[in-house]
Amino acid sequence: MNSPPVPLPAEHIPPGTADWRTPDAERWLAAVPARWAHPLWAVPALLVSMVWYIAESPLAPCTSAEPCGTDWPGLGMTVVLALTPYWVWRQPRLALAGLAAGLVGFAEDGGFTESFGEPYALAYPVAAAFTTAGIVHRLALAGRQRALALEAAGPVARPLPAAALTFRRGRFSFALAALLLAVAGFGSWQAQQVADAYEERAAGATHLSGLVVAQEQDDDGIDILKVEADERTHRFETDFPESFPLDSQVDIVVDGDWAAPAAEPYDAFGWELLVLGATAAGLAFFANGVDGRTRSARLRRRPLPVLRVLVREGHEDGRTWVFAADDPEALRPILHFHSLLAIDEDENEDEGEQGNESDDGEADAVHLTKVRQILTGDDPPPPLREAVLYGAPYAGAEVALAARADADEPEVLVECSVTAVTAAVPGVLTRAPKGRQRKSERRSVEEVAATMTPGPGLRVWQAHGLARAVGLCLLVVQGGGIWATIDDGPSWVWLCLPVALSWMISAVATTLTWRITADRDGLWVTGAWRVRRVEWDAITAVRHHEDGIRIATGTGTGKGKGKGKGKGHDNVDLAPTGWAWLERRLGREPYAVRAADELRALHLDPELRPAEEAPTARQGTPAGPPLVALSVLWGAAVLLLL
C-alpha cells in the first residue's frame, strides 16, 4: 500500500484554494490535441519534403555573369528552414512565422509553378499546410485547457510566493546564444575575407577564355577541370562539373601562377557551414531565452489562479508529475514539467547568519548519505506530496508550486517550471511516472509465481523482436567495419581485427539466438559459442545484470550431458540479451528482466518446474560458428570487390 502524501501545512495554502479533482482533471485531459497534430508527424514531413525539394530541384548553373559566390540571403533562408522544424516542436507561434517565410522563399524560387507538374515541389507546400493545421489545432486546444483550469480554480487569485518573484529564466540560453552568434559573426567575417581577397586579386589579374579539355577525379573523389588557355593547361576543382562540358569555353582569371574560374571564383563553403550551424543554434537558444523570460515575467505580473494538487518527482527523468488532489494512489497523472527550486535570497541570507557549524555538519552528513544512496541505486522513490499550483495550467504554460520536499523536511519549498507544461497523455514519447528500476529491486517469488501457470511442458525464453533488431544492427556495423578496415589496405589495424571480431560476433550471435530451456533437471543455456547444461542443484542465484542474464552456479561443476559437457565457469552469462533501457522507454517491462525473474522463481519453487526432459532439438543451437564463416566470406568478397 502506498504511503500517504506528504502534507502541506495549512498556513501555506491560500484561503479559498480549490482542489483540482478528478472530474475536472479528466475534462482538462480530454481537451488535448488529436494525435495527428503531434509534432512527431509534422516534423518528419517537413524535413523529408525540404530535403526532397532541395535534392530534386534544378540548380541555377554557375556562369561568369552570375558566379557562385557567397549567397547571404539564401543562407538566411536556409537558417529559417532549419529552425522551423525545431520551432514546430518547441515554439509553435514562431513556427508559423517560419512556415510563412519558407513559403515566400519557395514561391520566389518558382516552387509553386513547378508544383503543378513535379511531386517533389508539391510535397513541401502540402507538408507546410499539414503542419500549420496541426499548430493551429494545438493552440486552440491550449486555450480550451486554460479556460477549464480557470473554471476549476474559481475566482480565487493569489500572488506568487516571495521566493518565486526572484526566479529568473533564460540566462543560460542567452549566454549560449551570445557565444554561438559571436561564432557565426566570426565565420561570416572570414567568409567575407575570402571573397574580398579574390576580388582584390582579380581586379589586377588577366581575364582569359579557355577550352575545357578534360574532366577527371583525384584520389579523394574531387572533380578536377582541365582548361587550356594562352598555351597553358590549368587545373581547377569544381563542385558542378556538369556545368562545364568538354570542348566548351570557360572564362578564367590568371595572375602569375594563380588562376581561378570566373564562374566558381573561390570556396568559402566551410565558413558558410559554420555560419549556418552557429546562427541556427544561436537563434534557437535566443528564442528559448526570450520565451522563458517572457513567460516567467507574465507569471509574476498579477495574482494567479491557485489549485490544490498532488505532485511527485519522476525517479528516472526528474520531471514533476501532477495528480488530482483526490488521487492519493497517484493512479492517473494529469500533466508534467521540469522544475527548479526557487530560493528567496534575502531569507536565505538571514538563515545563513543564524546557522551554526553543528547544524551545517548534520545537513552535510544527510546530503552525503542521500548522494551515496542515489549513486548506489538504493535511494527510495520520491514521495507523493501535497502542493499548491500557481498559474492556469495548459499545454505550453509556465507554473509554480509550493510543497514540502519530503516528510523529513518541514520547510515548504517553491519550485518554478523551466519547461512548458505538457499533458500526461499516453504516447510514444511520454509515459506515467514510476519508480526507477533498481539493480537491487526485484519482484518477490510469490508475485512472479502468481503470473506463471504450472505445467509439465518445457519452459523456453529466447531472443525476442527487440533483441534480434539490436543483433541485426550490430551485424550491419560489423560488416561495415570489415569493409572499412580492408578498404584502407594492410595496416597494424588488421592485427586488432580478430579481437574486435570475436567480441562483435559474440554479441551478434547472443542477441540473435540466445535461448534458455528449462526442463525437469535444470537449464540448457544457449550462448554465442556453445550450449551449457546447468543443474537445478548447482544454481545459487539468477539475476538480470547489465543487459544480460547471469546464472550463478557456485562450484561451477556444470555437470551435464550432451552439449556443453564438462567443467564450467562460476557464472553462466548471457549478454547482451536486448536493450532494457529502450524497452523501458517504450513503456514495456524488459523481456530479459522478466525471464530472470521467472528463472529465479523456478529455482526457488520446484513445484513450478517442468516435468519433461528437453530433447536435443529443443536445447538450442549457438550461432557463433556460422557467423565466423559468414564474416570470413564477407571479408573475402570485399577483397574481391575492391
Side-chain angles (χ1 to χ4, degrees):
M1 185 175 181
N2 292 336
S3 302
V6 177
L8 181 66
E11 61 269 21
H12 289 277
I13 302 175
T17 301
D19 291 347
W20 200 6
R21 298 191 171 275
T22 299
D24 293 328
E26 289 179 346
R27 291 171 60 207
W28 189 91
L29 283 170
V32 298
R35 288 182 179 272
W36 65 266
H38 196 285
L40 185 65
W41 312 118
V43 170
L46 271 182
L47 290 174
V48 169
S49 62
M50 285 192 296
V51 172
W52 191 14
Y53 179 75
I54 292 171
E56 295 294 333
S57 59
L59 294 175
C62 302
T63 63
S64 301
E66 296 183 4
C68 292
T70 302
D71 181 13
W72 295 117
L75 193 64
M77 180 57 66
T78 305
V79 169
V80 173
L81 292 176
L83 282 171
T84 300
Y86 172 73
W87 283 340
V88 169
W89 201 290
R90 292 292 303 273
Q91 308 284 353
R93 288 180 173 83
L94 278 179
L96 291 176
L99 288 168
L103 289 174
V104 169
F106 181 77
E108 289 183 353
D109 197 40
F112 285 108
T113 303
E114 296 176 1
S115 62
F116 290 104
E118 298 293 343
Y120 70 83
L122 181 63
Y124 180 74
V126 170
F130 173 73
T131 304
T132 302
I135 291 174
V136 172
H137 178 70
R138 288 160 56 195
L139 294 176
L141 287 182
R144 171 65 177 160
Q145 285 182 326
R146 184 177 186 277
L148 290 171
L150 290 173
E151 182 181 335
V156 177
R158 293 289 182 267
L160 278 177
L165 295 176
T166 61
F167 186 82
R168 294 292 184 271
R169 282 192 57 191
R171 295 174 183 173
F172 182 69
S173 294
F174 284 138
L176 278 179
L179 177 63
L180 289 166
L181 292 176
V183 171
F186 174 75
S188 62
W189 176 71
Q190 288 290 341
Q192 193 60 46
Q193 288 289 100
V194 173
D196 291 344
Y198 166 77
E199 294 294 341
E200 182 179 352
R201 191 159 191 178
T206 303
H207 294 256
L208 300 174
S209 178
L211 183 68
V212 178
V213 295
Q215 290 182 353
E216 58 187 31
Q217 286 187 337
D218 62 10
D219 295 337
D220 296 327
I222 298 175
D223 290 299
I224 303 296
L225 200 67
K226 284 187 176 182
V227 178
E228 283 189 358
D230 198 20
E231 299 181 352
R232 292 180 60 185
T233 301
H234 302 274
R235 293 166 56 88
F236 305 109
E237 294 182 3
T238 178
D239 294 323
F240 306 101
E242 64 277 4
S243 300
F244 308 101
L246 291 177
D247 299 328
S248 62
Q249 293 292 322
V250 176
D251 293 329
I252 63 174
V253 181
V254 179
D255 182 14
D257 294 333
W258 174 84
E264 297 182 37
Y266 56 87
D267 182 11
F269 178 75
W271 294 116
E272 293 171 355
L273 193 61
L274 177 65
V275 172
L276 172 63
T279 303
L283 289 178
F285 279 111
F286 181 76
N288 288 345
V290 171
D291 182 69
R293 183 65 58 89
T294 303
R295 289 178 184 274
S296 61
R298 191 182 304 136
L299 203 63
R300 299 189 302 269
R301 191 175 301 158
R302 61 176 66 91
L304 302 168
V306 286
L307 288 165
R308 288 187 64 181
V309 295
L310 299 175
V311 298
R312 171 178 284 163
E313 184 179 348
H315 213 168
E316 293 184 357
D317 51 19
R319 286 192 183 106
T320 298
W321 295 81
V322 177
F323 302 84
D326 57 351
D327 185 12
E329 299 294 323
L331 300 177
R332 180 67 175 94
I334 306 172
L335 55 91
H336 60 83
F337 52 86
H338 285 92
S339 62
L340 287 178
L341 191 64
I343 300 175
D344 189 340
E345 297 177 0
D346 296 335
E347 183 180 345
N348 192 47
E349 290 176 1
D350 294 340
E351 291 178 356
E353 293 175 359
Q354 299 171 4
N356 55 58
E357 293 182 3
S358 61
D359 292 340
D360 291 343
E362 291 177 4
D364 290 343
V366 171
H367 291 153
L368 286 174
T369 300
K370 290 184 177 181
V371 170
R372 184 170 61 252
Q373 288 176 340
I374 292 172
L375 293 176
T376 57
D378 297 327
D379 58 313
L384 191 66
R385 304 172 288 158
E386 293 182 356
V388 173
L389 194 68
Y390 289 83
Y394 57 90
E398 297 278 328
V399 293
L401 63 90
R404 292 167 60 190
D406 53 49
D408 299 328
E409 294 283 349
E411 183 183 3
V412 174
L413 303 176
V414 178
E415 300 174 31
C416 294
S417 62
V418 292
T419 59
V421 166
T422 303
V425 293
V428 178
L429 302 179
T430 57
R431 52 196 182 109
K434 59 181 180 179
R436 189 183 298 169
Q437 300 291 333
R438 300 293 177 185
K439 295 178 181 178
S440 60
E441 188 176 291
R442 294 177 178 174
R443 292 187 296 169
S444 65
V445 174
E446 294 76 12
E447 183 182 355
V448 177
T451 64
M452 302 173 65
T453 305
L458 302 175
R459 291 186 179 273
V460 178
W461 301 266
Q462 58 187 349
H464 56 300
L466 183 60
R468 292 193 176 101
V470 171
L472 290 174
C473 291
L474 291 175
L475 187 61
V476 171
V477 171
Q478 174 188 321
I482 292 174
W483 182 292
T485 304
I486 295 176
D487 186 37
D488 289 339
S491 67
W492 63 269
V493 178
W494 286 29
L495 300 176
C496 304
L497 194 59
V499 177
L501 275 180
S502 63
W503 177 86
M504 184 66 76
I505 290 173
S506 294
V508 171
T510 303
T511 51
L512 288 176
T513 62
W514 73 267
R515 178 187 179 101
I516 300 176
T517 303
D519 65 6
R520 178 185 60 196
D521 301 319
L523 303 175
W524 293 99
V525 184
T526 304
W529 305 103
R530 59 173 177 159
V531 180
R532 290 195 55 187
R533 178 61 162 168
V534 186
E535 306 287 351
W536 289 118
D537 294 340
I539 298 175
T540 59
V542 181
R543 66 190 179 103
H544 183 264
H545 176 72
E546 296 181 355
D547 274 329
I549 298 175
R550 171 168 291 180
I551 303 171
T553 58
T555 59
T557 53
K559 294 177 184 178
K561 39 193 172 181
K563 295 176 273 188
K565 189 174 180 179
K567 276 195 173 185
H569 301 289
D570 289 338
N571 298 312
V572 179
D573 287 320
L574 277 179
T577 52
W579 195 358
W581 178 87
L582 180 57
E583 290 182 80
R584 291 190 181 104
R585 286 290 172 190
L586 294 174
R588 306 173 185 173
E589 179 187 12
Y591 179 79
V593 173
R594 184 168 73 249
D597 288 343
E598 293 179 354
L599 285 167
R600 187 169 62 255
L602 291 180
H603 168 233
L604 297 176
D605 188 352
E607 293 184 1
L608 294 174
R609 297 174 187 171
E612 298 179 3
E613 183 175 355
T616 303
R618 300 289 300 277
Q619 294 170 10
T621 303
L627 279 177
V628 171
L630 180 62
S631 300
V632 172
L633 291 175
W634 173 244
V638 171
L639 282 173
L640 292 174
L641 290 172
L642 294 177

